[in-house]
Each structure stands twice: as C-alpha cells, then as structure tokens.
Amino acid sequence: MDLLLPGVGLIFWQALGFIILLILLGKFAWSPILNALKIRENSIDEALEAAEKAKEDMAKLKAENDKLLDEARLERDKILKDAKEASNKMIEEAKEDASKTAEKMIADAKASIESEKKAALKEVKNQVAELSLEIAEKVIKNQLSDDSKQKALVDQYVKDINLN
C-alpha cells in the first residue's frame, strides 16, 4: 500500500517546488504574458474599431455612389429627352420645309400651266383669226368676182354709212 499512498515528505517537497515555481512564474513570466495579452487585446480592439470605421466609410461611399448613379441616370434621361425633342423638332422642320417646297412647286406648276394655257388660247385665237380672214377673203373674192356684185356691195356700204 505504500506504493499507492505518497509519503508526507514527497508531498511537502512537491508543494514547495510548486510554490517556488508559482513565485518565479508570477515574477518573471506572468507579467510579460499578461502584457502580451493586454497588447493583443488592444490591437484586437483597434482592429475592430478600424473595421467599424471602414464599414461606416464603405456605407458613406456606397451612399455617395448611389447618389452619383442617380444623378447620372437623371442627366442621361435629360440628355435623351433633349435629343429626342431636338430630333422631333428637326423632323418637324424638315416636314414643314418639304411642305413649303411642295406648295411652291405646285404654285409654280399652276402658274406655268396657266401661262401655257393663255399662250395656247392666244395661238388658237390667232389661228382662228387667220383662218377667218382667209375664208372671208376667199368668200369675198368669190362674191366680188363679178363687177355688178362689187357695185351693189359698195352701194350697200355707202347706205350703211349714211344711216349711221
């Protein structure tokens, strides 16, 4: 049974060795270990604060980026609207110019047709007058071929003149 129960001397020396070890560790090892733990704790706190600050900065940057994107979208929409209005205006002006040009061409064509019509009518009247003169000349030649007919015609004209 001696093997199972340690002796009192052994317990005393082991306790004394343990106490000396605790004193030495407390004097030389614990303060550097505690300092190292304190430094590590401070660095972790600083890292957490930096991470929190970075998170806030990222939130601010995201908000600024969203704001810039919204402004860019609004500006894009405005530019597209202005471009569409300018395009519509140009199309409308082109339509008006084409309409005015077409109206001018139609008016010019009508004027040309009217002048051609007048010229044709004048030509027809001249031809009718020439033909009438030729016919009258031939009729008169036939009627005045005889001297007695000429004398009767002259007498008739003289009577008409005297009556007027």
Side-chain angles (χ1 to χ4, degrees), residues 36-51:
L37 286 175
K38 192 170 219 168
I39 291 170
R40 177 74 176 144
E41 182 182 354
N42 288 340
S43 68
I44 289 173
D45 286 342
E46 289 173 2
L48 287 174
E49 288 175 8

Side-chain angles (χ1 to χ4, degrees), residues 6 8 10 15-16 20 32 37 43 47 51 53 61 71 77 94 98 102-103 131 133 140 146-147 152 160:
V8 176
L10 181 63
L16 182 66
I20 292 172
L37 286 175
S43 68
K53 185 178 179 189
L61 286 174
E71 289 175 2
D77 291 344
E103 287 175 7
L131 286 173
L133 286 174
I140 291 174
D146 191 12
D147 284 337
D160 287 341

